[in-house]
């Protein structure tokens, strides 16, 4: 027991040490990331002057929110099919399609989607140009799998008699889904949305393949800057990331803990 | 509003969950389906609610078949074993859910909610979420919710399963009084014989997908029609015997024992083999060495289970078989008057004996 | 049944989307891998032609033969598998005790601990890997520290080595190892462990005969979740590896973006898929079983 606790401490140190260093050195005056000279916030100003970064960020934000919305819809449908529908023709293929993207290396997903887009363009003239739309399609495709994992596990835990009770009380299948199932699995759908959002915001490899000229997402901009060497501007950006995520995750954790007894119960509490 | 179940069968793969079941339940009756787990009682209930459809047979309410109707169009409501209260809705919203599906006006819905909340005496809790209620309170809300649509048939699936034993007894009586007040026809599924006997007017015993016996609690207990029902409800002594004489009463010779049994059952014919069935509370236990005669057996005390109000005494007969007798603890020192290995005489009235066919 | 007919409308949208955008692309990748490189846009030739009613097959396995001829590709595959396997093992050795420690904590702290595990992966993967450049460089923070306390005189070369790759993969994928194992351990009935102890088993014995066997499906899920994507990892070898660090994801990327040789890149991807097919298939079974869906 003691050993595992020590490992846990070590593991957390390993996970957080690089981030802490990253944050500290974002306030370093010097361009050298490893030598501390004096406190400064100048890299933050530099960051906001960088139009490429800002544009990349805005594009990524747009793609990520649209991706999250679409993959939540498809992912919830897929979960419902997998958990509730039982066997149907093509079910094995379907379940494979919803799980495989979880582990498929990005380079394969990216390249194959690009070739699809190029091939389709030759065959049916769509998509004539690659950019935000093709990135969105690619992101939705792999995010569906992640949303499905999150939502289907919640759906499976849900007491099935709740849906039967609603049906027994006169609600048809569609009503049952929207009035009973959906509200009960809503927390999972929300975390699925957040997961898809961050995955999309995070993706470099797939976006690089399926993007076209002029559409550079934030990771693509960061990547080209990082390739040129270490830059404190990236540290500043990372710090902003970390702060945003700290705030939002603490908030959502607090919310989840506050409301979970009422929204997560199965009615079996005695 | 009678409910007719006609030759209903249902299989899942190779298992015949329900086999050729026919029952008629009268208007206003509280009817219990009693059986062990996997006997098909829950499947039968789910077919009435519409969650399963039978392979063959018909289910009629007031003469009309309801099989073609999906669950949400049946005038049948169910109280689920887990209660299935919607965790994200208040008590009020839970109860209003059913009437709202019927397209009633807001006012009518509110009236229904008030009505059933008053019925179960839970008006004070209308704004609570299910998680904020105790088990007994949840049960009342679940009952209120299933009554709010004024169903022609109410189904209760193991209604007491989620309650602890003390609360169970109280809620059984309370539930019955509410159901009787409303006058709704009601089917209870349970594995608990005490529950079935306390709550229902009639009981059907189910085993392996079939109905074994239907009757009032008293009929089921006093006149079991088979070894299965006799052993399932309460405890019973079964002694193999052969008919030796039939006249106004029937005389039987016990197997592996010198004694004979006399009973009032006159269906038997000479030479037939039966099981002589006697409930333990109808067996008198005496420490005096009484004269041997019919309906009388000797033995020694093998075990005594003191249960407070009475003791269950296991007597080892001369042939080595064990027979149970109940001894009412009318005096405080009743228990100390008997002891292990003490010779005793067991006896019973001819009226207490029931004959059950061997083979079933 | 109208019920079934209505179900079609729920099944079709996600099914079609995944078929078109996840399954169909593999047909295209296979097709291009058989084509010849061409100086055109897109830079590949046809694999068949249909001129004046005559069908002609133009595809060839040349690209695959090419992969075999130049040892750089074979080495890339082997090296990727090796690096991914070792990293997975390290991640398991670190992740399992962490998952176990969290699973044994009081319920109120658990969700917070899990949050701590997941939190870093919500910041950009790219930035997290980038952070290690500053730490591992010759004049980076770790070397600085070690030299200032006098442990070493000369900086240790860490960046652009396999060591950096291990650090990168373990760092980037550790949460994916911890989460499935935790999910498994937290469901493990503590009474089983008490029963084993009650029957006289010492802690080590309890671990190896109760805890470990009952968490195997979590371990497998975690290992595949780390191993499969890291075989094809690009960012980590590109940023932390050296010019001679061969990993297949990076080789594919260079073939595509630097050499603009789409057919060879496709052939690399096809072979990679073929290699990963078995682990992906096993993973799919484990994952569906874990989710309680029969597949």
């Amino acid at each position: 027991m003691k050993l595992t606790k020590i490992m846990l401490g070590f593991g957390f140190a390993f996970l957080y040490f690089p981030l802490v260093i990253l944050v500290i050195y974002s306030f370093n005056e010097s361009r050298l990331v490893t030598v501390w000279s004096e406190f400064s916030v100048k890299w933050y100003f530099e960051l906001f002057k960088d139009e490429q970064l800002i544009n990349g960020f805005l594009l990524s934000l747009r793609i990520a929110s649209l991706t999250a919305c679409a993959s939540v819809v498809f992912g919830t449908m897929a979960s419902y099919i997998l958990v509730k529908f039982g066997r149907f023709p093509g079910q094995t293929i379907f379940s494979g399609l919803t799980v495989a993207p979880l582990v498929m290396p990005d380079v394969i997903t990216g390249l194959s989607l690009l070739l699809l887009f190029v091939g389709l363009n030759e065959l049916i003239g769509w998509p004539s140009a690659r950019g935000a739309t093709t990135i969105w399609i690619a992101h939705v495709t792999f995010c569906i799998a992640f949303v499905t994992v999150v939502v289907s596990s919640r759906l499976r835990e849900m007491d099935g008699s709740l849906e039967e009770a609603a049906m027994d009380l006169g609600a048809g299948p569609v009503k049952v889904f929207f009035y009973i199932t959906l509200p009960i699995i809503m927390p999972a759908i929300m975390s699925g949305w957040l997961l898809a959002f961050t995955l999309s915001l995070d993706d470099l490899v797939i976006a690089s393949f399926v993007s076209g000229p002029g559409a550079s997402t934030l990771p693509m901009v960061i990547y080209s800057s990082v390739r040129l060497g270490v830059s404190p501007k990236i540290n500043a950006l990372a710090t902003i990331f970390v702060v945003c995520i700290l705030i939002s995750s603490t908030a959502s954790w607090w919310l989840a803990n506050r409301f979970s007894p009422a929204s997560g119960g199965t009615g079996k509490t005695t | 509003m009678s409910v007719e179940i006609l030759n209903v069968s249902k299989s899942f793969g190779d298992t015949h969950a329900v086999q050729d079941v026919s029952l008629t339940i009268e208007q206003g009756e509280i009817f219990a389906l009693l059986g062990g787990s996997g006997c098909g009682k829950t499947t039968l209930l789910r077919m009435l609610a519409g969650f399963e459809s039978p392979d063959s047979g018909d289910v009629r309410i007031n003469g009309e078949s309801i099989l073609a109707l999906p669950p949400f169009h049946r005038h049948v409501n169910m109280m689920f074993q887990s209660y299935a209260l919607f965790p994200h809705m208040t008590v009020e919203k839970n109860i209003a859910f059913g009437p709202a599906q019927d397209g009633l006006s807001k006012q009518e819905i509110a009236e229904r909610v008030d009505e059933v909340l008053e019925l179960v005496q839970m008006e004070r809790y209308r704004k609570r979420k299910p998680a904020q209620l105790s088990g007994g309170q949840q049960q009342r809300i679940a009952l209120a919710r299933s009554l709010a649509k004024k169903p022609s048939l109410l189904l209760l699936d193991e209604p007491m399963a989620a309650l602890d034993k003390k609360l169970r007894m109280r809620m059984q009586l309370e539930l019955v009084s509410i159901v009787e007040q409303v006058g709704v026809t009601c089917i209870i599924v349970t594995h608990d014989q005490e529950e079935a006997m306390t709550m229902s007017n009639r009981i059907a015993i189910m085993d392996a997908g079939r109905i074994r016996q239907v009757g009032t609690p008293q009929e089921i207990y006093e006149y079991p029609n088979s070894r299965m029902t006799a052993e399932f409800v309460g405890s019973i002594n079964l002694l193999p015997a052969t008919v030796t004489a039939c006249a106004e009463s029937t005389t039987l010779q016990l197997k592996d024992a010198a004694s004979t049994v006399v009973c009032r059952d006159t269906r038997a014919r000479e030479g037939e083999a039966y099981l002589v069935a006697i409930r333990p509370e109808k067996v008198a236990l005496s420490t005096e060495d009484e004269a041997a005669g019919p309906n009388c057996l000797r033995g020694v005390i093998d075990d005594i289970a003191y249960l407070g109000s009475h003791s269950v005494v296991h007597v080892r007969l001369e042939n080595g078989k064990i027979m149970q007798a109940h001894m009412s603890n009318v005096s405080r020192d009743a228990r100390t008057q008997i002891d292990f290995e003490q010779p005793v005489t067991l006896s019973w009235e001819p009226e207490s004996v029931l004959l059950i066919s061997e083979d079933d | 049944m109208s019920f079934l007919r209505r179900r079609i409308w729920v099944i079709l949208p996600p099914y079609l989307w995944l078929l078109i955008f996840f399954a169909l692309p593999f047909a295209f990748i296979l097709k291009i891998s058989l084509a010849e490189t061409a100086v055109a846009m897109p830079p590949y030739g046809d694999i068949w032609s249909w001129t004046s009613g005559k069908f002609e097959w133009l595809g060839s396995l040349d690209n695959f033969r090419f992969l075999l001829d130049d040892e750089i590709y074979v080495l890339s595959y082997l090296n990727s598998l090796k690096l991914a396997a070792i990293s997975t093992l390290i991640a398991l050795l670190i992740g399992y005790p962490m998952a176990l420690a969290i699973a044994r904590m009081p319920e109120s702290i658990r969700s917070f601990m899990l949050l701590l595990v997941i939190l870093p992966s919500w910041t950009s993967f790219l930035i997290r890997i980038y952070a290690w450049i500053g730490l591992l460089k010759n004049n980076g923070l770790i070397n600085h520290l070690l030299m200032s306390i006098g442990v070493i005189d000369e900086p240790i070369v860490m960046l652009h080595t396999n060591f950096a790759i291990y650090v990168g993969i373990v760092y980037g994928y550790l949460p994916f190892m911890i989460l499935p194992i935790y999910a498994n351990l937290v469901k493990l009935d503590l009474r089983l462990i008490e029963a084993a102890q009650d029957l006289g088993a010492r802690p080590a014995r309890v671990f190896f005969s109760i805890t470990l066997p009952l968490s195997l499906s979590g371990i497998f899920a975690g290992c595949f979740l780390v191993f499969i994507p890291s075989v094809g990892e690009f960012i980590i070898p590109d940023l932390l590896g050296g010019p001679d660090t061969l990993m297949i994801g990076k080789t594919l990327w260079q073939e595509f973006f630097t050499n603009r040789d789409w057919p060879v890149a496709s052939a690399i991807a096809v072979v990679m898929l073929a290699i990963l097919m078995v682990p992906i298939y096993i993973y799919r079974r484990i994952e569906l079983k874990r989710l309680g869906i029969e597949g």
Side-chain angles (χ1 to χ4, degrees), chain A residues 14-16 18 34 85 90 92 96 102-103 112 114-115 141 156 202 219 223 230-231 235 238 245 249 253, chain C residues 7 15 17 21 25 111 116 119-120 122 124-127 130 132 139 171 228 234 238 256 266 283-284 291:
Chain A
F14 175 62
L15 282 176
Y16 284 91
T34 45
F85 278 15
T92 314
L102 288 176
V103 286
S112 64
L114 169 75
L115 296 178
T141 305
R156 197 166 38 87
D202 205 21
Y223 176 66
V230 173
S231 151
N235 287 33
I245 278 150
S249 57
W253 183 71
Chain C
R7 283 182 172 194
Y15 206 164
W17 182 284
F21 295 117
S111 68
L116 279 185
L119 210 54
W122 284 355
S124 160
F125 186 81
L126 192 56
I127 286 178
Y130 155 85
W132 282 99
N139 58 350
Y171 184 71
I228 302 171
F234 162 72
D238 189 60
F256 182 85
S266 303
Y283 171 75
R284 176 186 154 270
L291 293 175

Coordinates of all heavy atoms in Angstrom, one line a residue, chain A residues 14-16 18 34 85 90 92 96 102-103 112 114-115 141 156 202 219 223 230-231 235 238 245 249 253, chain C residues 7 15 17 21 25 111 116 119-120 122 124-127 130 132 139 171 228 234 238 256 266 283-284 291:
Chain A
F14 N 6.1 13.5 -12.0 CA 6.5 13.3 -13.4 C 5.5 14.0 -14.4 O 5.9 14.7 -15.3 CB 6.5 11.8 -13.7 CG 6.8 11.4 -15.1 CD1 8.0 11.7 -15.7 CD2 5.8 10.7 -15.8 CE1 8.2 11.3 -17.0 CE2 6.1 10.3 -17.1 CZ 7.3 10.6 -17.7
L15 N 4.2 13.9 -14.0 CA 3.2 14.5 -14.9 C 3.2 16.0 -14.9 O 2.9 16.7 -15.8 CB 1.8 14.0 -14.5 CG 1.4 12.6 -15.0 CD1 0.1 12.2 -14.5 CD2 1.4 12.5 -16.5
Y16 N 3.5 16.6 -13.7 CA 3.3 18.0 -13.5 C 4.6 18.8 -13.6 O 4.6 20.0 -13.9 CB 2.6 18.3 -12.2 CG 1.1 18.0 -12.4 CD1 0.6 16.8 -12.1 CD2 0.2 19.0 -12.9 CE1 -0.8 16.5 -12.3 CE2 -1.1 18.7 -13.1 CZ -1.6 17.5 -12.8 OH -2.9 17.2 -13.0
P18 N 7.1 19.1 -15.8 CA 7.4 19.8 -17.0 C 6.4 21.0 -17.2 O 6.8 22.1 -17.7 CB 7.1 18.8 -18.2 CG 7.2 17.5 -17.5 CD 6.8 17.7 -16.1
T34 N 16.2 28.2 -20.6 CA 16.7 27.5 -19.4 C 17.4 28.4 -18.4 O 17.8 28.0 -17.3 CB 17.7 26.4 -19.8 OG1 18.5 26.9 -20.8 CG2 16.9 25.2 -20.4
F85 N -29.8 -1.6 -28.7 CA -30.5 -2.2 -29.8 C -30.3 -3.7 -29.9 O -31.0 -4.4 -30.7 CB -30.1 -1.5 -31.1 CG -30.8 -0.3 -31.4 CD1 -31.6 0.4 -30.4 CD2 -30.8 0.3 -32.7 CE1 -32.3 1.5 -30.7 CE2 -31.5 1.5 -32.9 CZ -32.2 2.1 -31.9
G90 N -25.0 -6.2 -39.6 CA -23.9 -5.3 -39.7 C -23.4 -4.8 -38.3 O -22.7 -3.8 -38.3
T92 N -21.5 -6.1 -36.0 CA -20.1 -6.4 -35.7 C -19.2 -5.3 -36.4 O -18.4 -4.7 -35.7 CB -19.7 -7.7 -36.2 OG1 -20.7 -8.7 -35.8 CG2 -18.4 -8.2 -35.7
G96 N -17.1 -2.3 -34.5 CA -15.6 -2.2 -34.8 C -15.3 -0.8 -35.2 O -14.3 -0.2 -34.8
L102 N -10.2 4.8 -31.7 CA -9.6 5.1 -30.5 C -8.1 4.9 -30.5 O -7.3 5.6 -29.9 CB -10.2 4.2 -29.3 CG -11.6 4.5 -28.9 CD1 -12.0 3.5 -27.9 CD2 -11.6 5.9 -28.3
V103 N -7.7 3.9 -31.2 CA -6.3 3.5 -31.2 C -5.6 3.7 -32.6 O -4.4 3.5 -32.7 CB -6.1 2.0 -30.8 CG1 -6.3 1.9 -29.3 CG2 -7.0 1.1 -31.6
S112 N -5.2 8.6 -44.8 CA -6.3 7.9 -45.5 C -7.5 8.9 -45.8 O -8.1 8.9 -46.9 CB -6.8 6.7 -44.8 OG -7.3 7.1 -43.5
L114 N -7.2 12.1 -46.2 CA -6.7 13.0 -47.3 C -7.0 12.3 -48.7 O -7.5 12.9 -49.6 CB -5.3 13.4 -47.2 CG -4.7 14.1 -48.4 CD1 -5.2 15.5 -48.5 CD2 -3.2 14.0 -48.5
L115 N -6.5 11.1 -48.8 CA -6.7 10.4 -50.0 C -8.1 10.2 -50.4 O -8.5 10.3 -51.6 CB -6.0 9.0 -50.0 CG -4.5 9.0 -49.8 CD1 -3.9 7.6 -49.6 CD2 -3.8 9.8 -50.9
T141 N -14.9 12.4 -37.1 CA -14.8 11.0 -37.3 C -14.0 10.3 -36.2 O -14.5 9.3 -35.6 CB -14.0 10.7 -38.6 OG1 -14.7 11.3 -39.7 CG2 -13.9 9.2 -38.9
R156 N -25.0 2.3 -20.0 CA -25.0 0.9 -19.6 C -25.3 0.8 -18.1 O -26.0 -0.1 -17.6 CB -23.7 0.2 -19.9 CG -23.8 -1.3 -19.9 CD -22.6 -1.9 -20.5 NE -21.4 -1.1 -20.2 CZ -20.6 -1.3 -19.1 NH1 -20.9 -2.3 -18.3 NH2 -19.6 -0.5 -18.9
D202 N -6.5 19.8 -30.0 CA -5.1 19.3 -29.7 C -4.5 18.7 -31.0 O -3.3 18.5 -31.0 CB -5.3 18.2 -28.7 CG -4.0 18.0 -27.9 OD1 -3.2 19.0 -27.9 OD2 -3.8 17.0 -27.3
P219 N -2.5 24.1 -33.4 CA -1.3 23.2 -33.3 C -0.4 23.3 -34.5 O 0.8 23.1 -34.4 CB -2.0 21.8 -33.2 CG -3.3 22.1 -32.7 CD -3.7 23.4 -33.3
Y223 N 3.4 24.1 -34.1 CA 4.4 23.1 -34.6 C 5.5 23.8 -35.4 O 6.7 23.6 -35.2 CB 3.7 22.0 -35.4 CG 4.6 21.0 -36.0 CD1 5.4 20.2 -35.2 CD2 4.8 21.0 -37.4 CE1 6.3 19.2 -35.8 CE2 5.7 20.0 -38.0 CZ 6.4 19.2 -37.2 OH 7.3 18.3 -37.7
V230 N 13.1 26.3 -29.4 CA 12.4 26.7 -28.2 C 12.1 28.2 -28.2 O 13.0 29.0 -28.5 CB 13.1 26.2 -27.0 CG1 12.4 26.7 -25.8 CG2 13.3 24.7 -27.0
S231 N 10.8 28.5 -27.9 CA 10.5 29.9 -27.9 C 9.7 30.2 -26.6 O 8.7 29.5 -26.4 CB 9.7 30.3 -29.1 OG 8.9 31.4 -28.8
N235 N 5.8 29.1 -24.3 CA 5.7 28.9 -22.9 C 4.5 29.8 -22.4 O 3.7 29.3 -21.6 CB 6.9 29.4 -22.1 CG 8.0 28.3 -22.2 OD1 8.1 27.7 -23.3 ND2 8.8 28.2 -21.2
A238 N 1.3 28.1 -23.4 CA 1.1 27.0 -22.6 C 0.5 27.4 -21.3 O -0.4 26.7 -20.8 CB 2.4 26.2 -22.4
I245 N -7.5 25.6 -18.4 CA -8.0 24.3 -18.1 C -8.2 24.1 -16.6 O -9.1 23.4 -16.1 CB -7.0 23.3 -18.7 CG1 -7.4 23.1 -20.1 CG2 -7.0 21.9 -18.0 CD1 -6.2 22.8 -21.0
S249 N -11.7 23.0 -15.4 CA -11.9 21.6 -14.8 C -12.3 21.7 -13.4 O -13.1 20.9 -12.9 CB -10.6 20.8 -15.0 OG -9.5 21.5 -14.5
W253 N -15.6 20.0 -12.1 CA -15.4 19.0 -11.0 C -16.4 19.4 -9.9 O -17.1 18.5 -9.3 CB -14.0 18.9 -10.6 CG -13.8 17.9 -9.5 CD1 -13.8 16.5 -9.7 CD2 -13.5 18.1 -8.1 NE1 -13.6 15.9 -8.5 CE2 -13.4 16.8 -7.5 CE3 -13.4 19.2 -7.3 CZ2 -13.1 16.6 -6.2 CZ3 -13.1 19.0 -6.0 CH2 -13.0 17.7 -5.4
Chain C
R7 N -35.9 2.2 -36.2 CA -34.5 2.1 -35.7 C -33.5 2.4 -36.8 O -32.4 2.9 -36.5 CB -34.2 0.7 -35.2 CG -34.8 0.5 -33.8 CD -34.5 -0.9 -33.3 NE -34.9 -1.0 -32.0 CZ -34.6 -1.9 -31.1 NH1 -33.8 -2.9 -31.5 NH2 -35.0 -1.9 -29.9
Y15 N -23.7 5.3 -38.7 CA -23.1 4.2 -39.4 C -22.5 4.7 -40.8 O -21.4 4.4 -41.1 CB -24.2 3.1 -39.7 CG -23.7 1.7 -39.9 CD1 -24.6 0.6 -39.7 CD2 -22.4 1.4 -40.1 CE1 -24.2 -0.7 -39.9 CE2 -21.9 0.1 -40.3 CZ -22.8 -0.9 -40.2 OH -22.4 -2.2 -40.4
W17 N -21.7 7.7 -41.6 CA -20.6 8.6 -41.4 C -19.3 7.8 -41.2 O -18.3 8.1 -41.8 CB -20.9 9.5 -40.2 CG -19.8 10.5 -39.9 CD1 -18.6 10.2 -39.4 CD2 -19.8 11.9 -40.3 NE1 -17.8 11.4 -39.3 CE2 -18.5 12.4 -39.8 CE3 -20.7 12.8 -40.8 CZ2 -18.2 13.8 -40.0 CZ3 -20.4 14.1 -41.0 CH2 -19.1 14.6 -40.6
F21 N -16.3 7.9 -43.8 CA -15.1 8.7 -43.4 C -14.1 7.9 -42.6 O -13.0 8.4 -42.3 CB -15.5 9.9 -42.6 CG -16.3 10.9 -43.5 CD1 -17.6 11.2 -43.2 CD2 -15.7 11.5 -44.6 CE1 -18.3 12.1 -44.0 CE2 -16.4 12.4 -45.4 CZ -17.7 12.7 -45.1
P25 N -11.9 5.3 -46.5 CA -10.6 5.8 -46.8 C -9.5 4.7 -46.9 O -8.6 4.9 -47.6 CB -10.3 6.7 -45.6 CG -11.6 7.2 -45.1 CD -12.6 6.1 -45.4
S111 N -12.2 11.0 -7.2 CA -12.5 11.7 -8.4 C -11.5 12.9 -8.6 O -11.2 13.2 -9.7 CB -14.0 12.2 -8.4 OG -14.1 13.2 -7.4
L116 N -6.6 14.9 -11.5 CA -5.2 15.2 -11.5 C -4.5 14.4 -12.6 O -3.5 14.9 -13.2 CB -4.5 14.9 -10.2 CG -4.7 16.0 -9.1 CD1 -3.9 15.6 -7.9 CD2 -4.3 17.4 -9.6
L119 N -5.9 15.8 -16.1 CA -5.7 17.3 -16.3 C -4.6 17.6 -17.3 O -4.8 18.3 -18.3 CB -5.4 18.0 -15.0 CG -5.9 19.4 -14.9 CD1 -7.3 19.6 -15.3 CD2 -5.6 19.9 -13.5
P120 N -3.4 17.0 -17.2 CA -2.3 17.4 -18.1 C -2.7 17.1 -19.5 O -2.3 17.8 -20.5 CB -1.1 16.5 -17.7 CG -1.4 16.2 -16.3 CD -2.9 16.1 -16.1
W122 N -5.3 17.5 -21.0 CA -6.2 18.5 -21.6 C -5.4 19.7 -22.1 O -5.9 20.5 -22.9 CB -7.2 19.0 -20.6 CG -8.3 17.9 -20.4 CD1 -8.5 16.8 -21.1 CD2 -9.4 18.0 -19.5 NE1 -9.5 16.1 -20.7 CE2 -10.2 16.8 -19.7 CE3 -9.9 18.9 -18.5 CZ2 -11.3 16.5 -19.0 CZ3 -11.0 18.6 -17.8 CH2 -11.7 17.4 -18.0
S124 N -2.4 21.0 -24.5 CA -1.9 20.6 -25.8 C -0.8 19.5 -25.7 O 0.2 19.7 -25.0 CB -1.4 21.7 -26.6 OG -0.6 21.3 -27.7
F125 N -1.0 18.4 -26.4 CA -0.1 17.3 -26.4 C 1.3 17.8 -27.0 O 2.3 17.6 -26.4 CB -0.6 16.2 -27.4 CG 0.2 15.0 -27.4 CD1 0.1 14.0 -26.5 CD2 1.1 14.7 -28.5 CE1 0.9 12.8 -26.5 CE2 1.9 13.6 -28.6 CZ 1.7 12.6 -27.6
L126 N 1.1 18.6 -28.0 CA 2.3 19.2 -28.7 C 3.1 20.0 -27.7 O 4.4 19.9 -27.6 CB 1.8 20.1 -29.8 CG 2.8 20.7 -30.8 CD1 3.6 19.5 -31.5 CD2 2.0 21.5 -31.8
I127 N 2.4 20.8 -26.9 CA 3.1 21.7 -25.9 C 3.8 20.8 -24.8 O 4.9 21.1 -24.3 CB 2.2 22.7 -25.3 CG1 1.9 23.8 -26.4 CG2 2.7 23.4 -24.0 CD1 0.9 24.9 -26.0
Y130 N 6.8 19.4 -26.2 CA 7.7 20.5 -26.3 C 8.4 20.9 -25.0 O 9.6 21.2 -25.0 CB 6.9 21.7 -26.9 CG 7.5 23.1 -26.6 CD1 8.5 23.6 -27.4 CD2 7.1 23.8 -25.5 CE1 9.1 24.9 -27.1 CE2 7.6 25.1 -25.2 CZ 8.6 25.6 -26.0 OH 9.1 26.8 -25.7
W132 N 9.5 19.0 -22.8 CA 10.6 18.1 -22.5 C 11.9 18.5 -23.3 O 13.0 18.2 -22.9 CB 10.3 16.7 -22.8 CG 9.4 16.1 -21.7 CD1 8.1 15.9 -21.7 CD2 9.9 15.6 -20.5 NE1 7.7 15.4 -20.5 CE2 8.7 15.2 -19.7 CE3 11.1 15.5 -19.9 CZ2 8.8 14.7 -18.5 CZ3 11.2 15.0 -18.6 CH2 10.1 14.6 -17.9
N139 N 22.0 21.8 -22.8 CA 22.1 22.9 -21.9 C 20.7 23.2 -21.3 O 20.4 24.3 -20.9 CB 22.6 24.2 -22.6 CG 21.7 24.6 -23.8 OD1 20.8 23.8 -24.2 ND2 21.9 25.8 -24.3
Y171 N 5.3 9.8 -20.9 CA 4.7 11.0 -20.4 C 3.3 11.3 -21.1 O 2.3 11.6 -20.5 CB 5.6 12.2 -20.7 CG 5.1 13.5 -20.1 CD1 5.0 13.7 -18.7 CD2 4.7 14.5 -20.9 CE1 4.6 14.9 -18.2 CE2 4.2 15.7 -20.4 CZ 4.1 15.9 -19.0 OH 3.6 17.0 -18.5
I228 N -0.6 0.8 -29.4 CA -1.0 0.9 -30.8 C -0.8 2.4 -31.3 O -0.1 2.5 -32.3 CB -2.5 0.5 -31.0 CG1 -2.7 -1.0 -30.6 CG2 -2.9 0.6 -32.5 CD1 -4.1 -1.5 -30.6
F234 N 4.0 10.4 -34.3 CA 4.8 11.3 -35.1 C 5.5 12.4 -34.3 O 6.7 12.6 -34.4 CB 4.0 11.9 -36.3 CG 4.7 13.1 -36.9 CD1 5.8 13.0 -37.7 CD2 4.2 14.4 -36.6 CE1 6.5 14.1 -38.2 CE2 4.8 15.5 -37.1 CZ 6.0 15.3 -37.9
D238 N 9.5 13.2 -33.8 CA 9.9 14.4 -34.5 C 10.6 15.4 -33.6 O 11.6 16.0 -34.0 CB 8.7 14.9 -35.3 CG 9.1 16.0 -36.2 OD1 9.9 15.7 -37.2 OD2 8.7 17.2 -36.0
F256 N 5.6 11.7 -47.1 CA 4.4 12.4 -47.7 C 4.7 13.9 -47.8 O 4.5 14.5 -48.9 CB 3.2 12.2 -46.7 CG 2.0 12.9 -47.2 CD1 1.1 12.3 -48.1 CD2 1.6 14.2 -46.8 CE1 0.0 12.9 -48.6 CE2 0.5 14.9 -47.3 CZ -0.3 14.2 -48.2
S266 N 1.5 5.8 -48.8 CA 0.3 4.9 -48.6 C 0.7 3.5 -48.4 O 0.1 2.8 -47.5 CB -0.6 4.9 -49.9 OG -0.9 6.2 -50.2
Y283 N -7.8 -5.5 -29.2 CA -8.2 -4.3 -28.4 C -9.7 -4.1 -28.5 O -10.4 -3.9 -27.6 CB -7.5 -3.1 -28.9 CG -8.1 -1.8 -28.2 CD1 -7.8 -1.6 -26.9 CD2 -8.9 -1.0 -28.9 CE1 -8.4 -0.5 -26.3 CE2 -9.5 0.1 -28.3 CZ -9.2 0.4 -27.0 OH -9.8 1.4 -26.4
R284 N -10.2 -4.3 -29.8 CA -11.7 -4.1 -30.0 C -12.5 -5.1 -29.2 O -13.5 -4.7 -28.5 CB -12.0 -4.3 -31.5 CG -13.4 -4.2 -31.8 CD -13.7 -4.5 -33.3 NE -15.0 -5.0 -33.4 CZ -15.4 -6.3 -33.3 NH1 -14.5 -7.2 -33.1 NH2 -16.6 -6.7 -33.4
L291 N -17.0 -2.6 -22.2 CA -18.2 -1.7 -22.3 C -19.5 -2.5 -22.1 O -20.6 -2.0 -22.1 CB -18.2 -1.0 -23.6 CG -17.1 0.0 -23.8 CD1 -17.2 0.6 -25.2 CD2 -17.3 1.2 -22.8

